[in-house]
PDB file of all heavy atoms in Angstrom:
ATOM      1  N   GLU B  44      18.277  -1.672   4.743  1.00  0.00           N
ATOM      2  CA  GLU B  44      18.117  -2.962   5.275  1.00  0.00           C
ATOM      3  C   GLU B  44      16.695  -3.491   5.080  1.00  0.00           C
ATOM      4  O   GLU B  44      16.465  -4.709   4.865  1.00  0.00           O
ATOM      5  CB  GLU B  44      18.345  -2.824   6.819  1.00  0.00           C
ATOM      6  CG  GLU B  44      19.768  -2.341   7.086  1.00  0.00           C
ATOM      7  CD  GLU B  44      20.896  -3.262   6.737  1.00  0.00           C
ATOM      8  OE1 GLU B  44      20.671  -4.508   6.924  1.00  0.00           O
ATOM      9  OE2 GLU B  44      21.912  -2.829   6.251  1.00  0.00           O
ATOM     10  N   MET B  45      15.718  -2.526   5.045  1.00  0.00           N
ATOM     11  CA  MET B  45      14.358  -2.964   4.771  1.00  0.00           C
ATOM     12  C   MET B  45      14.178  -3.553   3.377  1.00  0.00           C
ATOM     13  O   MET B  45      13.498  -4.495   3.124  1.00  0.00           O
ATOM     14  CB  MET B  45      13.443  -1.772   5.015  1.00  0.00           C
ATOM     15  CG  MET B  45      11.948  -2.044   4.838  1.00  0.00           C
ATOM     16  SD  MET B  45      10.941  -0.559   5.283  1.00  0.00           S
ATOM     17  CE  MET B  45      11.204   0.485   3.850  1.00  0.00           C
ATOM     18  N   ILE B  46      14.819  -2.799   2.474  1.00  0.00           N
ATOM     19  CA  ILE B  46      14.805  -3.203   1.094  1.00  0.00           C
ATOM     20  C   ILE B  46      15.453  -4.616   0.996  1.00  0.00           C
ATOM     21  O   ILE B  46      14.917  -5.513   0.232  1.00  0.00           O
ATOM     22  CB  ILE B  46      15.542  -2.180   0.173  1.00  0.00           C
ATOM     23  CG1 ILE B  46      14.731  -0.894   0.117  1.00  0.00           C
ATOM     24  CG2 ILE B  46      15.668  -2.781  -1.225  1.00  0.00           C
ATOM     25  CD1 ILE B  46      15.501   0.259  -0.361  1.00  0.00           C
ATOM     26  N   ALA B  47      16.524  -4.788   1.691  1.00  0.00           N
ATOM     27  CA  ALA B  47      17.267  -6.071   1.702  1.00  0.00           C
ATOM     28  C   ALA B  47      16.415  -7.172   2.189  1.00  0.00           C
ATOM     29  O   ALA B  47      16.421  -8.341   1.767  1.00  0.00           O
ATOM     30  CB  ALA B  47      18.502  -6.057   2.467  1.00  0.00           C
ATOM     31  N   ALA B  48      15.536  -6.795   3.170  1.00  0.00           N
ATOM     32  CA  ALA B  48      14.645  -7.833   3.741  1.00  0.00           C
ATOM     33  C   ALA B  48      13.629  -8.345   2.687  1.00  0.00           C
ATOM     34  O   ALA B  48      13.105  -9.422   2.867  1.00  0.00           O
ATOM     35  CB  ALA B  48      13.864  -7.240   4.875  1.00  0.00           C
ATOM     36  N   ALA B  49      13.379  -7.539   1.563  1.00  0.00           N
ATOM     37  CA  ALA B  49      12.494  -7.963   0.557  1.00  0.00           C
ATOM     38  C   ALA B  49      13.091  -8.853  -0.472  1.00  0.00           C
ATOM     39  O   ALA B  49      12.487  -9.370  -1.372  1.00  0.00           O
ATOM     40  CB  ALA B  49      11.800  -6.717  -0.061  1.00  0.00           C
ATOM     41  N   THR B  50      14.451  -8.886  -0.428  1.00  0.00           N
ATOM     42  CA  THR B  50      15.204  -9.649  -1.501  1.00  0.00           C
ATOM     43  C   THR B  50      15.148 -11.183  -1.120  1.00  0.00           C
ATOM     44  O   THR B  50      14.750 -11.542  -0.129  1.00  0.00           O
ATOM     45  CB  THR B  50      16.624  -9.189  -1.606  1.00  0.00           C
ATOM     46  OG1 THR B  50      17.230  -9.370  -0.360  1.00  0.00           O
ATOM     47  CG2 THR B  50      16.644  -7.684  -2.016  1.00  0.00           C
ATOM     48  N   ALA B  51      15.606 -11.953  -2.229  1.00  0.00           N
ATOM     49  CA  ALA B  51      15.541 -13.362  -2.075  1.00  0.00           C
ATOM     50  C   ALA B  51      16.270 -13.980  -0.893  1.00  0.00           C
ATOM     51  O   ALA B  51      15.866 -14.963  -0.324  1.00  0.00           O
ATOM     52  CB  ALA B  51      16.071 -13.931  -3.425  1.00  0.00           C
ATOM     53  N   ARG B  52      17.361 -13.278  -0.468  1.00  0.00           N
ATOM     54  CA  ARG B  52      18.122 -13.844   0.621  1.00  0.00           C
ATOM     55  C   ARG B  52      17.433 -13.893   1.910  1.00  0.00           C
ATOM     56  O   ARG B  52      17.439 -14.832   2.679  1.00  0.00           O
ATOM     57  CB  ARG B  52      19.419 -13.016   0.773  1.00  0.00           C
ATOM     58  CG  ARG B  52      20.307 -13.581   1.884  1.00  0.00           C
ATOM     59  CD  ARG B  52      21.537 -12.670   2.041  1.00  0.00           C
ATOM     60  NE  ARG B  52      22.547 -12.852   0.999  1.00  0.00           N
ATOM     61  CZ  ARG B  52      23.572 -13.636   1.191  1.00  0.00           C
ATOM     62  NH1 ARG B  52      23.733 -14.267   2.208  1.00  0.00           N
ATOM     63  NH2 ARG B  52      24.402 -13.735   0.121  1.00  0.00           N
ATOM     64  N   PHE B  53      16.602 -12.840   2.204  1.00  0.00           N
ATOM     65  CA  PHE B  53      15.887 -12.801   3.440  1.00  0.00           C
ATOM     66  C   PHE B  53      14.286 -13.008   3.220  1.00  0.00           C
ATOM     67  O   PHE B  53      13.688 -13.729   4.029  1.00  0.00           O
ATOM     68  CB  PHE B  53      16.001 -11.422   4.145  1.00  0.00           C
ATOM     69  CG  PHE B  53      17.465 -11.161   4.372  1.00  0.00           C
ATOM     70  CD1 PHE B  53      18.223 -10.324   3.498  1.00  0.00           C
ATOM     71  CD2 PHE B  53      18.154 -11.747   5.411  1.00  0.00           C
ATOM     72  CE1 PHE B  53      19.542 -10.073   3.674  1.00  0.00           C
ATOM     73  CE2 PHE B  53      19.495 -11.559   5.644  1.00  0.00           C
ATOM     74  CZ  PHE B  53      20.216 -10.749   4.792  1.00  0.00           C
ATOM     75  N   ASP B  54      13.806 -12.651   2.073  1.00  0.00           N
ATOM     76  CA  ASP B  54      12.521 -12.995   1.565  1.00  0.00           C
ATOM     77  C   ASP B  54      11.377 -12.754   2.617  1.00  0.00           C
ATOM     78  O   ASP B  54      10.880 -13.659   3.203  1.00  0.00           O
ATOM     79  CB  ASP B  54      12.525 -14.465   1.296  1.00  0.00           C
ATOM     80  CG  ASP B  54      11.411 -14.822   0.309  1.00  0.00           C
ATOM     81  OD1 ASP B  54      10.809 -13.924  -0.191  1.00  0.00           O
ATOM     82  OD2 ASP B  54      11.094 -16.077   0.146  1.00  0.00           O
ATOM     83  N   ILE B  55      11.021 -11.513   2.747  1.00  0.00           N
ATOM     84  CA  ILE B  55       9.936 -11.035   3.609  1.00  0.00           C
ATOM     85  C   ILE B  55       8.613 -11.658   3.098  1.00  0.00           C
ATOM     86  O   ILE B  55       7.669 -11.704   3.884  1.00  0.00           O
ATOM     87  CB  ILE B  55       9.931  -9.501   3.726  1.00  0.00           C
ATOM     88  CG1 ILE B  55       9.192  -9.110   5.015  1.00  0.00           C
ATOM     89  CG2 ILE B  55       9.278  -8.925   2.533  1.00  0.00           C
ATOM     90  CD1 ILE B  55       9.331  -7.662   5.259  1.00  0.00           C
TER      91      ILE B  55
END
Side-chain angles (χ1 to χ4, degrees):
Chain B
E44 304 292 321
M45 182 174 78
I46 292 162
T50 58
R52 183 182 284 264
F53 303 101
D54 199 14
I55 203 171

